[in-house]
Amino acid sequence: MLPLTEQQLRSSFVNASRKEVSDLTLPADFQTIDWNTLDYLGWRDRKQPKRAYAVVILDDAPVGLLLRQAEASALSRPQCSWCQDVNLTNDVSFFSAKRAGQAGKNGDTVGTLVCTDFGCSANVRKRPPLAYVGFDVEAARQERMASLRERAASFAVSVLHGTGGGGGGR
């Protein structure tokens, strides 16, 4: 993940009004974030519990997404669409995002299942179990990180352009 300043982060949002961006609460640890351990930046708003944010890199530029957590909870344990961790110790929630531009103003949204605490980057960096003799654990970790970045970027594309959505968008 590219290191971002507060100004870069705030100006990256594609589906939020100026008021929503100005009201945005930065992550508590924003000044000390280890950007090298993130595939995207995601956090929940401390002042508005159902509001969350994700910033992904798309074509070498940050794309910020305002997300809203669904009120309803799943009847069974869902899998995160972004990290696809099957050994989750944390919750997964459904988040929706207004589409950018006129589509969003018309009420068009896209949704995805994501780790509630946005811990996907930590999940994909966990050492996978040894699948067989000669299994390249580090290559598997690198592939999981690349896949996470790809799925998060695909969701951002679906918010921006109304297409794709490999991160659960339709």
Side-chain angles (χ1 to χ4, degrees):
M1 176 82 190
L2 299 171
L4 300 172
T5 65
E6 179 178 348
Q7 178 57 36
Q8 289 170 317
L9 182 130
R10 287 186 186 276
S11 65
S12 73
F13 283 86
V14 298
N15 68 337
S17 69
R18 281 185 223 144
K19 172 86 170 110
E20 289 169 324
V21 171
S22 69
D23 290 347
L24 172 150
T25 303
L26 292 174
D29 62 346
F30 184 70
Q31 298 303 322
T32 59
I33 291 174
D34 182 358
W35 298 95
N36 293 321
T37 63
L38 296 178
D39 300 289
Y40 72 92
L41 175 63
W43 74 100
R44 302 187 56 106
D45 194 309
R46 297 182 305 279
K47 295 179 183 175
Q48 300 180 58
K50 295 294 182 183
R51 185 179 283 188
Y53 311 95
V55 180
V56 303
I57 302 301
L58 191 60
D59 297 327
D60 296 323
V63 175
L65 307 170
L66 170 64
L67 306 170
R68 298 198 193 290
Q69 183 179 352
E71 295 292 328
S73 56
L75 297 176
S76 62
R77 187 166 183 87
Q79 182 181 30
C80 175
S81 297
W82 290 9
C83 69
Q84 298 185 343
D85 192 348
V86 295
N87 299 311
L88 285 178
T89 56
N90 55 321
D91 291 329
V92 172
S93 296
F94 182 82
F95 288 95
S96 64
K98 292 186 303 190
R99 291 203 192 268
Q102 191 59 46
K105 290 177 185 170
N106 293 341
D108 195 4
T109 62
V110 62
T112 190
L113 290 164
V114 179
C115 291
T116 304
D117 67 355
F118 296 95
C120 299
S121 291
N123 292 340
V124 298
R125 283 169 171 71
K126 290 178 195 167
R127 182 179 172 85
L130 192 60
Y132 51 84
V133 175
F135 179 70
D136 189 340
V137 172
E138 186 55 31
R141 284 179 66 235
Q142 293 298 322
E143 174 60 30
R144 290 181 67 195
M145 288 184 268
S147 293
L148 168 57
R149 288 188 297 273
E150 182 179 304
R151 285 187 288 275
S154 179
F155 183 75
V157 167
S158 70
V159 170
L160 278 168
H161 306 296
T163 60
R170 298 244 176 252

